[in-house]
Amino acid sequence: MISKAMEKALNGQINKETYSAYLYFAMAAYFDSENLEGMAGFMKVQAQEEMGHAMKFYNYINEQGGRVTLDAIDKPQASYKNPLEIFQLSLKHEKFITDSINKLMDQAIKENDHATKEFLHWFVKEQVEEEDHMAKIVSKLERVGESGQGLLIMDAQLGSRK
Ligand code: FEO
């Protein structure tokens, strides 16, 4: 069993993970509109991963005898300046998610909720990977700068993500 406060907090995380999927879909749509299909594909895979994260929270709440309740999803930003801005925003967003996971962990520790701590460990590690991934892409895009050729190489590389 989880506490009512923990149930509420975990439901809040379902909303954030689902919003993440929505945000990455919006970014994919921008890339598709710019004919950067590789980057669009990368963002579609990312969006699917985020729905997987939301489902992990969904299943965990149920396993713990809690009630899943879904809230409205915010509208994501639809237009962007360029790929660099998108990946900078992605990195910023992942830092926000990391902070949210850390707050959930703080709550689990405070409540002596060992099962939730164990459940959240996967997300703590996942967020290290997510931030690292986005930070590396930002760094490469900064080097690419205004080079159209560099951008196309990056597009091809990011499109190989399965
Ligand atoms: Fe589910 Fe990208 O955090």
Side-chain angles (χ1 to χ4, degrees), residues 69-80:
T69 48
L70 301 178
D71 213 336
I73 307 296
D74 288 341
K75 184 175 176 173
Q77 184 175 332
S79 56
Y80 303 93

Side-chain angles (χ1 to χ4, degrees), residues 17 20 24 46 50 53 94 97 127 130:
E17 299 290 348
S20 303
Y24 293 129
Q46 184 70 28
E50 298 302 350
H53 296 170
E94 288 305 331
I97 295 292
Q127 283 311 119
E130 294 261 48

Side-chain angles (χ1 to χ4, degrees), residues 37-55:
E37 287 102 347
M39 293 189 188
F42 175 95
M43 284 302 176
K44 287 172 198 167
V45 173
Q46 184 70 28
Q48 280 165 350
E49 274 195 11
E50 298 302 350
M51 283 314 297
H53 296 170
M55 284 310 296

Side-chain angles (χ1 to χ4, degrees), residues 20-33:
S20 303
Y22 220 41
L23 176 66
Y24 293 129
F25 271 135
M27 291 171 169
Y30 166 84
F31 284 132
D32 268 324
S33 76

